[in-house]
Amino acid sequence: MTENGKPNRLAKEKSPYLLQHAYNPVDWRPWSEEAFAAAKDGNKPIFLSIGYSTCHWCHVMERESFEDEEVAALLNREFVSIKVDREERPDVDNLYMTVCQAMTGQGGWPLTIVMTPDKKPFFAGTYFPKRRKFGRKGLIEILEQIAEKWKENRQLVIDAGETVADQTARSMISNLKGEITESSLDEAYVTYKEAFDAEYGGFGDAPKFPSPHGLMFLMRYYASTGEDDALRMANKTLVAMYRGGLFDHIGFGFSRYSTDREWLVPHFEKMLYDNALLAMAYTEAFQLTGEPGYREIAELTYAYALRDMKEPGGAFYSAEDADSEGEEGKFYVWTPAEVREALGAEDGEWFCDVFGIDEAGNFEGRAIPNLLHGSLESQAKRSGADEAAFLDRADRLRHRLFLSREERVHPGKDDKVLTSWNGLMIASLAKAAAAFDRPEYAAAASEAVRFLLEKLRTPEGRLLARYRDGEAAFPGYIDDYAFLTWGLIELYEATFDPELLRTASELTKEAVRLFWDEANGGFYFYGSDAEQLFTRMKEVYDGAIPSGNSVMANNLLRLSRLTGEQAWNGYAERIFAAFAGAVKRYPTGHAMMLMALSLAYGKPQEIVIAGARGDVETEAMLRAVRSRFLPQTVVLLQDERLSHIADKTPVNGAATAYVCENYACQSPVFTAEALADQVNRSVEERE
């Protein structure tokens, strides 16, 4: 709290993260020309702190340092301090995170940067305690040393910043040269196999991140090669993630990542993008395997998003915090006594036994509900109980415990709307709408699309990145264009509204105009009309969120088939060429790009169904293809507004399906069964 109880310069911002710091005694400023001018006028270095509202260690650093009068006095005297919400300004975050990783070998949030008034960084790190602790330097010590060096030899520090900026620009992984071919898919598969944890699922050791797009690549690899181990790795990981504490077995939805190898103890924050991508992965797993459990997990995840993350206007909020009442995970963990109090003695004991809640606990003396000792079905079988009755009891008691938990103090919710993350949820809901024949999912996705196009698009057509409290701001990044376009493509295949393809094409043309690098290929992260930082980055690494370039490569290939615009293929080819070196160097870090590569090298299949919506045979044909895992396939419904398929018409007035594969068309068919036979033969030939 500031000494006089008045807010600092962040109080007028819209970002929940910046507002969290509005009463710190630190004289924070938002990222602005005014802040950099103040640094130049005062001959002071800039202390830049980047984080986000649901970041646990950001909260810790705030409590230890930014709410501390001693730290604040030092910062206010010697530095100009700037706070940035990484989710509002991913361009700033991506650039300085690259700097931090290059300088220290690691990254994360809170991100701590000290730089010149010209935005050139010369010091980087992540979380620092106030004073040295457990071998980690203290913030006071660091700031005092930097302030002294700045006064003693400012030019030396400025020169160091220039060197760091130059090296960052030249050493970005996206600049690596190389060549990727179809064999790159095999090389990536081998890399995944080497990193796979055969005992617990996932890849590598703790902490473990879900990486749903990696699992989606493995499912595609299995579908095209028949390699059983690819499907085994995906299945093992999908089951393990659900059964552990990563999944919220009381209120549903997935947490950010697992702190342990077994997927038991999560970092409890819930992010919109994780839940969108994970639900999509489970949806595809259902399409591929027919396993009903995968469909149930996806539907539970959507239930969470639609219940807790949906904005009244139809869009989706960004995240829920890990902390409540100042403690990480407090909202989510239980003691047996608390469960018995909520459910009664007999039902409480039964529920604790089923969901692994005991006196010892598994998280700081309390327990995270989990199914690591067996699925509900296997527990029913072991107990000799009727499976249906067992499952019904578990569901009823879980709901009662959920209602009890609702009375607790909830974690904070980051209620800003991000165009990019909403695009991912739109894509996910739309895919599930088609796969599960759930039109209400398509309706929810359509609502979100309307919100984004009405609230986050200027009259000139420029996408904006963030909406909160009535204000849309920040020129959209390539992720905003890529992810929303992905959502529109998936929603077209769920609803067959040609206007969605028209809008997807408009956004793609706009993305080329604003972000495309004509000289070297690929899309820059921020537009030519946005603030220009010391280097203009291209992001290709598929981290927790896939890169805009990777998603655009997939979009371009699919749009060319859905619209007949063959020019889009050329842009996709140039993306592959631009980032070949990066993909070759670290294939498992580019899973979404590998999915695009798989789409490019696979046998393309277009299915056009000519018939009226609502017609019994037309609907049966749609179900026959949309319930299947067909990653090489695009499905279109004949419409006079789609001129490139104008020749595909009903034969003798009957619903007719046209299947074209590998640039050759088969004879039209007139029943869902015949269409399924054609698709089955195609799948068998690929395998």
Side-chain angles (χ1 to χ4, degrees), residues 589-602:
H590 299 86
M592 187 64 71
M593 187 67 78
L594 293 170
M595 288 166 59
L597 197 65
S598 175
L599 183 60
Y601 280 104

Side-chain angles (χ1 to χ4, degrees), residues 230-246:
L231 182 58
R232 180 179 63 84
M233 289 188 284
N235 278 332
K236 177 78 175 179
T237 304
L238 288 165
V239 170
M241 289 192 300
Y242 165 70
R243 289 189 183 174
L246 188 76

Side-chain angles (χ1 to χ4, degrees), residues 96-114:
Y96 290 104
M97 185 62 73
T98 300
V99 168
C100 183
Q101 290 167 334
M103 293 179 71
T104 70
Q106 60 185 14
W109 298 276
L111 177 60
T112 302
I113 298 287
V114 186

Side-chain angles (χ1 to χ4, degrees), residues 176-202:
L176 291 174
K177 302 301 180 185
E179 181 180 1
I180 51 175
T181 63
E182 191 171 9
S183 65
S184 300
L185 302 173
D186 302 320
E187 293 165 8
Y189 165 66
V190 170
T191 305
Y192 274 109
K193 200 169 178 180
E194 290 171 348
F196 182 63
D197 182 345
E199 185 174 0
Y200 294 108

Side-chain angles (χ1 to χ4, degrees), residues 2 31 92 162 205 215 278 310 427 434 451 465 556 559 620 662 671:
T2 52
W31 180 281
V92 174
E162 293 287 348
D205 209 336
L215 303 178
L278 281 164
K310 199 163 185 285
F451 184 99
L556 290 161
L559 272 178
N662 213 19
T671 66

